[in-house]
Amino acid sequence: RSLRVPEEEAEERLRQELAVALYARGLLSLGKASELAGTSRFLFSEFLTQRNIPRHYGNEELTEDLKYASRE
């Protein structure tokens, strides 16, 4: 209730902020952080760009991308 956002947006915004913070600390992959935020990877990447947070791209992200790319 102390947040300066409309009450109906509070949960979504908190989830997004938590996801960004956990990703920035290296505790979540991009895919998991975007799931937590309830957004697509593309939109979550935009959140990171707006906050000047560099993308981490390691083996886990590569595996997720390859798995996604191989879907039919």
Side-chain angles (χ1 to χ4, degrees), residues 1 6 8 12 17-18 20-22 25-26 31 35 40 44 46-47 49 51-52 56-57 60 64 69-70:
R1 294 182 184 192
E8 61 274 2
E12 178 183 5
E17 293 301 325
L18 177 61
V20 167
L22 293 174
R25 296 182 69 193
E35 284 180 31
S40 68
F44 189 74
E46 289 295 316
F47 293 154
T49 300
R51 291 167 177 79
N52 294 318
H56 310 283
Y57 199 84
E60 186 174 349
E64 286 180 14
S70 67

Side-chain angles (χ1 to χ4, degrees), residues 18-63:
L18 177 61
V20 167
L22 293 174
Y23 178 82
R25 296 182 69 193
L27 299 174
L28 285 180
S29 67
L30 182 72
K32 294 299 180 185
S34 63
E35 284 180 31
L36 176 60
T39 65
S40 68
R41 290 181 188 192
F42 180 77
L43 184 56
F44 189 74
S45 291
E46 289 295 316
F47 293 154
L48 298 176
T49 300
Q50 291 168 0
R51 291 167 177 79
N52 294 318
I53 298 171
R55 279 196 60 184
H56 310 283
Y57 199 84
N59 288 335
E60 186 174 349
E61 287 79 16
L62 177 61
T63 301

